[in-house]
Amino acid sequence: MPSTFAYEWNTPTYKGKTSFNTGLFINGQFVDGSNNTTIEVVNPTTGKVITSVSEGVEKDIDIAVEAAQKAFDTVWGLNASGSVRSELLWKLSTVMEEHHDELSAIEALDNGKTFGWAQSTDVAFATKVIKYFAGWADKISGQTIETDERKLTYTRHEPIGVVGQIIPWNFPLLMLSWKIGPALATGNTIVLKPSEFTPLTAIKMCELINKAGFPPGVVNIVTGYGHTVGAAISSHMKIDKVAFTGSTLVGRKIMEAAAKSNLKNVTLELGGKSPNIIFNDADMEKAVDWTTHGIFWNHGQACCAGSRIFVQAGIYDEFLKRFTEKAKAIKVGDPFGAGVDQGPQVSQIQYDRIMGYIESGKTEGATCHTGGSRVGTEGYFIEPTIFTNVKPDMKIVQEEIFGPVGVVIKFEDEADVLRQANDTTYGLAAAVFSQDINRALSTAHKLQAGTAWVNCANQLHANVPFGGFKQSGIGRELGEYALHNYTNVKAVHVNLGHTL
Amino acid sequence: MAHSVSVKIPKLNKTIEVPTGLFINNEFVPSVDSQERIETVNPATEEVICSIVAASEKDIDIAVAAARQAFKTTWGKNVTGWERARLLNKLADLIERDAQELAELEALNNGKPVKMARDFDIGDSVQCLRYYAGWADKITGQSIEVDNKSKLAFTRHDPIGVCGQIIPWNYPINMWAWKVAPALAVGCTIVMKPSELTPLTALKLSELAKEAGFPPGVINTVPSLGPVGGAALASHHDVDKVAFTGSTVTGRKIMEAAAKSNLKKVSLELGGKSPHLVFESADLEQAASWAALGICYNSGQDCTAGSRVYVQDTVYDKFTSILVDRVKALVVGDGLEEATGAGPVVSKGQYDRVWGYIDSGKAEGAHVLVGGEKRQSKGYYVDPTVFTNITSDMKIVKEEIFGPVLSVGVFKTEEEAIALANDTTYGLGAGLHSNDANQCMRVSSALEAGTVWVNQYNILNNNVPFGGKKQSGIGRELGSYALEEYTSVKAIHWNFGDKLDWPLY
């Protein structure tokens, strides 16, 4: 029997409780994993285990796929009209609203982000994304295409079928909404693997999905490890599409497995080393604020983090001074504490990784301008860190750190900074700060990135597409574009008069 | 000052509070300069329900000014798509909450059965609002490649502005929703003139709009006589667009007034004389059911009423005999009674009009197959009437009757059927019944109508466009197409790299 996770908060920012089943969610039921094993969930604030959840293995993916296929063939797919799908997604969003603070608290507990950020951003945005895609569900249309009068030619935008979705630990609930929103709106059924580091809000959502009234088998959530459950999904012969958000390293494995199994359709949203370019004529105060947000939001654990900060020589000293002040002013502490801006990193592994990069920065000769150390003695807290005097070939300049570590690089001219900014295998996002709109637009257009921010950073909207160039990914999420990831186009040729 | 009245409905043992003032800037107010009232009548009993304020031309000015102010400050480009979506969804919630009461008021004023008002009219209206709420945050233009070194070109789909909306009396709540939803979804503000015959539910819905949280001035409701309020909106210099549903006669006046005033944008959804074609391969039982629906639903007071049926000669006798059974099965009575399938026609004016056509049918030599006899009791009842032995030049065959009066004709060939169907200045709806797929495609392609039903009739969906060809209208409602009626496209050419050498030569 799966266990129940019960928790109560009595903190400066949140008082409340939660209690939910921690089994695998297959066919609308909570069940044990086939091996009857569990995964421990650690609270990154304390480094201590807070609960265990059922562990899924390869066999459980088979069971989930079967349930998802059955649902697709009988109660979902082409058997549920767009308006039915719309209504259910809308209902889910209202149920999420009813549980808004509870979801925020679970997220902060499990991931380490502050309750304030979870409440104002993660959960709010996730709810908005579900509402946005609810609105698309009854608007999936193909085209009628003129060929000749003896023929009717049209396209249907059909659901793909059973889709596998693998989501990361940095924005657990938000990433879940980005995935299930468009997939359900277009009529697909889902087998989703949350991150083994942060499964709790995904598991809580299963209860809400039942409450909203989705038929059993439409959404199935199987917690497990990447090398078991993740691999099973990407190589499954009966899953026709896999969508993955995570590291570029794992993204390659997913794509390889897809190629070797049934050539399933793949979309990937991977890493980044996004450049943030500040010209001499930028509005300094605002640029500093956005830059700070660009790298330190979510403790630097954002795929689109503006982690390479290029500052033009004319303003370099002043900018660095102000940016450092902002970084130092960030209050690091308990996610449920009053006035806290930044909680712990998500896990021991991530903590070690980031500290490893910080070490390498120092070893390779960069200047650790501020930060660079652990905060406290418990939990995975790292100071907001800025490196200067870096060289392009340093690891901290080339590789994605995924922590609160920014590198600041001085540049002289436009051509040079563009060359440097684009000199990366990544291409997820980029930002430009300049009050000269001609220069800002011209630069934005030349940056090889899926999102170019002008005089802002890390701003996302449910209706604007997001995704990577180059090795940052394949496909786009959010906006109308996301629907394409989950539809199969069928062209229908109806002959009314041609004879051979 | 209270502007509401308690309407007693003895048959249901209920009282409904109905606001009676003009709804401007989220308040119910009296006319500024007129004592005119509009009396609303229950068509089943011929009794007055209550009287409401009738707007004057000056009141229309005030309403338009309120809508303009809201458009400049709290609506239009000052409100995000998300917020518009949220409010439309909230309004849908409230209408759902009050569905029973709204249905009873609709039945009382319009005559249609309560259960149809609730399950169909209001059910569809709620879905319509939710459908357009879903569009509100999805209004997109294009970015267009011109020259990557020097120019960014893109389009904005801006709201048109202040929209005058004039709706009819046959589906008061549903027509309100069709107009209000897309206009608000894209950010327009509204001055709505409901029909003077059936203004009560529009006033109740205005209360809900306020409760939902729409800022003052976004929706304004000004019941008035057509020649006063309708004319004022159509010719107003500060109304950017007029959308009208009603008769073709009035539609022409609206378009003329728009042309003579400020060339405001016009969309019209007008009359029809929609044909059914029943081919020999059709499932005759089903075709007869759909044909009966087409002319009996809403007592024939439907712009797409299938008022002409042409049957292939080989199945004519069989089909007409089934049709007679279907028509006779309908229970016509008081909308407040449970058993009623269709109510009276909406007013004395319509009653006289429809009976005038029935008389002309008889006078011109058509044969009455069913109906054609007036009731002796109270209420504006017209029992479904079917004419056969028709010729193309008869008034009952050419003109829109807008009541449950059907003309049945016969044809030999497919070509003849299409010619008969298209022989009209109207082009709103058409239906064809056939089990020959190629024939279905050929005929649906040939029919000159904005909506063609194949093996069905009169069933609409909120996401499929609807409107007329020829003199049945201009523009489309429903679906994504309706959004175009309320958006104004601006192209922006943003030069960031081109320098001009002047003079050019």
Side-chain angles (χ1 to χ4, degrees), chain A residues 284-297:
Chain A
M284 171 85 71
E285 204 47 51
K286 294 193 174 114
V288 168
D289 284 341
W290 285 111
T291 299
T292 309
H293 180 61
I295 181 57
F296 296 124
W297 176 47

Side-chain angles (χ1 to χ4, degrees), chain B residues 3 6 49 112 124 143 148 154 161 169 208 212 222 235 265 286 314 316 340 371 374 408 429 471 475:
Chain B
H3 285 277
S6 295
I49 301 170
K112 67 179 72 206
D124 286 349
S143 67
N148 275 314
F154 61 96
W169 46 257
L208 297 185
V222 286
S235 57
K265 311 290 170 289
Q286 278 297 295
T314 42
Y316 178 87
T340 300
K374 275 189 181 179
V408 182
Q471 293 184 28

